[in-house]
């Protein structure tokens, strides 16, 4: 049996813990039906601290009759409350580091990334979290490379998943790893969930940094938002800020983490997503509405940022009746 442990830390989402337990249980049933064996392929355990000063104990075991509790992977589920701080659980993070040193793969979902990053194991490495937590994770752990465009990042010994419901993606990724793609796809089909391969940027909303403290840059950000970034000429933006052009560019990138071009593109694409989701205008018309005179350039920028073409995005997320959608 392959041992997979779920860590129930303070604030952990119980729905994800139970959902993952069920997902692995479904995978076990599929394996049993194929091999006509009664012994489960995956053993699921839950680990929880009785006391913050003690290491976690096993509080649930799907195979209690087997004395061995060898682990192949440990998962930190999402949380619904404020993410853990760097020093909230020193005993737990030390325990995770020790398990990793023994060869146990570690995984996190959504806000579980903060606890994983607290171990120090992610320094100099790439990880993902929920897109709304990306800036906070980067601020708390500057040595970590946060890539919130990805729904799941699998580095072998560490796997991180982004969204609150991305525990399904992480669970299926582990089923694929330990039991193979056929069992993984059958498990996904049984649960009526998409197999791994989605990207978080399909769903994320652009959330600009507004708390950087640079009043001149903030003024320009508000102006760009109000005008839907229709005019992004450097001279215009610098004049809005009341700064010399080179000074403005340097301060804008420092405050927002983006160039003015990247920032404007994300604002325009955000508006385009809204028009595609809730309207019936043609793709060319949407491009014009958000400030692109060249529909081809709009399609390239949209696809690069969102990960889907405008027409694919509309087909997937449109809230309008399909009969009303124009051919694009």
């Amino acid at each position: 049996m392959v041992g997979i442990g779920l860590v129930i830390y303070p604030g952990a989402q119980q729905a994800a813990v139970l959902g993952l337990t069920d997902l692995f249980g479904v995978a076990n049933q599929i394996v049993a039906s194929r091999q006509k064996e009664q012994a489960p392929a995956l053993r699921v355990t839950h680990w929880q601290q009785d006391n913050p000063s003690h290491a976690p104990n096993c509080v649930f075991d799907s195979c209690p009759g087997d004395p061995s509790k060898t682990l192949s992977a440990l998962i930190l589920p999402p949380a619904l409350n404020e993410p853990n701080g760097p020093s909230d659980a020193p005993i737990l993070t030390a325990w995770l580091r020790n398990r990793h040193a023994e060869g146990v793969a570690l995984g996190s979902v959504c806000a579980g990334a903060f606890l994983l990053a607290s171990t120090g194991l992610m320094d100099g490495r790439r990880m993902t979290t929920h897109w709304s937590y990306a800036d906070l994770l980067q601020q708390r752990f500057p040595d970590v490379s946060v890539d919130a465009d990805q729904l799941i990042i699998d580095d072998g010994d560490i796997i991180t998943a982004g969204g609150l419901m991305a525990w399904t993606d992480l669970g299926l990724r582990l089923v694929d790893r330990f039991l193979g793609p056929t069992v993984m796809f059958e498990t996904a089909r049984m649960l009526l969930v998409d197999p791994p391969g989605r990207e978080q940027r399909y769903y994320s909303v652009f959330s600009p940094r507004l708390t950087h403290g640079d009043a001149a840059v903030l003024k320009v950000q508000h102006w760009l938002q109000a005008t839907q970034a229709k005019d992004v000429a450097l001279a215009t933006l610098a004049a809005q800020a009341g700064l010399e052009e080179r000074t403005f560019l340097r301060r804008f990138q420092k405050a927002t983490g983006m160039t003015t071009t990247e920032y404007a593109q994300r604002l325009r694409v955000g508006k385009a997503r809204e028009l595609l989701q809730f309207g019936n205008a043609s793709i060319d018309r949407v491009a014009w509405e958000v400030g692109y005179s060249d529909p081809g350039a709009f399609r390239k920028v949209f696809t690069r940022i969102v990960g889907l073409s405008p027409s694919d995005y509309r087909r997937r997320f449109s809230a309008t009746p399909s009969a009303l959608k124009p051919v694009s």
Side-chain angles (χ1 to χ4, degrees):
M1 288 186 291
V2 175
I4 300 178
L6 307 176
V7 183
I8 307 175
Y9 58 90
Q13 186 191 24
Q14 292 294 324
V17 174
L18 298 177
L20 280 164
T21 303
D22 288 343
L23 184 151
F24 296 134
V26 169
N28 276 334
Q29 292 173 7
I30 291 169
V31 172
S33 68
R34 285 173 163 271
Q35 299 181 352
K36 307 301 181 184
E37 294 180 1
Q38 296 302 313
L42 300 176
R43 178 183 194 165
V44 183
T45 52
H46 298 175
W47 298 80
Q48 188 171 11
Q49 288 179 288
D50 297 329
N51 186 306
S53 62
H54 298 158
N57 295 313
C58 181
V59 295
F60 167 82
D61 189 342
S62 63
C63 300
D66 188 331
S68 171
K69 286 186 173 58
T70 302
L71 290 168
S72 295
L74 277 168
I75 300 174
L76 296 161
L80 296 176
N81 52 6
E82 180 70 15
N84 291 77
S87 58
D88 283 350
I91 302 299
L92 179 55
T93 53
W95 181 78
L96 290 169
R97 281 195 303 272
N98 291 337
R99 300 293 77 73
H100 181 260
E102 295 170 353
V104 177
L106 301 182
S108 69
V109 183
C110 191
F114 287 79
L115 192 54
L116 179 56
S118 296
T119 64
L121 295 170
M122 299 310 302
D123 290 357
R125 299 184 64 168
R126 198 166 60 106
M127 73 185 308
T128 188
T129 186
H130 192 284
W131 57 266
S132 65
Y133 288 146
D135 284 345
L136 180 60
L137 182 64
Q138 191 67 81
Q139 290 166 16
R140 289 189 181 177
F141 304 97
D143 292 332
V144 174
S145 177
V146 179
D147 183 0
D149 282 345
Q150 303 302 314
L151 190 67
I152 190 163
I153 296 176
D154 186 348
D155 274 349
D157 62 324
I158 295 179
I159 309 174
T160 57
L164 189 66
M165 293 299 294
W167 57 263
T168 59
D169 298 83
L170 180 57
L172 290 171
R173 183 61 64 94
L174 290 176
V175 171
D176 187 12
R177 175 181 296 190
F178 296 129
L179 303 180
T182 300
V183 176
M184 183 273 286
F185 278 110
E186 288 199 25
T187 302
R189 185 174 62 179
M190 181 68 70
L191 297 173
L192 297 179
V193 297
D194 290 336
R198 298 176 293 150
E199 294 188 48
Q200 189 165 210
R201 56 181 171 165
Y202 298 170
Y203 311 94
S204 63
V205 178
F206 175 47
S207 299
R209 296 181 191 173
L210 301 173
T211 57
H212 45 71
D214 191 324
V217 171
L218 184 60
K219 180 183 177 183
V220 173
Q221 288 178 272
H222 288 321
W223 183 80
L224 285 170
Q225 191 76 47
T227 60
Q228 297 180 14
K230 294 292 180 65
D231 184 357
V232 293
L234 177 56
T236 303
L237 299 180
Q240 287 288 328
L243 298 171
E244 188 269 336
E245 291 182 4
R246 263 193 293 184
T247 301
F248 167 70
L249 284 175
R250 175 175 50 79
R251 284 173 56 173
F252 188 92
Q253 185 153 10
K254 179 181 179 182
T256 66
M258 300 180 184
T259 65
T260 54
T261 299
E262 292 168 337
Y263 192 93
Q265 286 175 343
R266 289 186 177 272
L267 283 178
R268 290 177 175 183
V269 166
K271 180 62 177 178
R273 291 169 72 152
E274 180 182 333
L275 294 174
L276 291 167
Q277 188 172 359
F278 298 105
N280 293 297
S282 68
I283 303 298
D284 288 1
R285 180 64 185 177
V286 170
W288 179 263
E289 288 288 338
V290 300
Y292 287 92
S293 58
D294 180 357
F298 164 70
R299 285 180 168 86
K300 287 180 181 178
V301 170
F302 189 96
T303 302
R304 175 174 56 80
I305 291 175
V306 179
L308 296 169
S309 69
S311 55
D312 287 341
Y313 184 86
R314 166 171 273 163
R315 278 192 290 271
R316 186 160 186 168
F317 296 106
S318 177
T320 59
S322 58
L324 298 179
K325 295 179 197 173
V327 176
S328 57

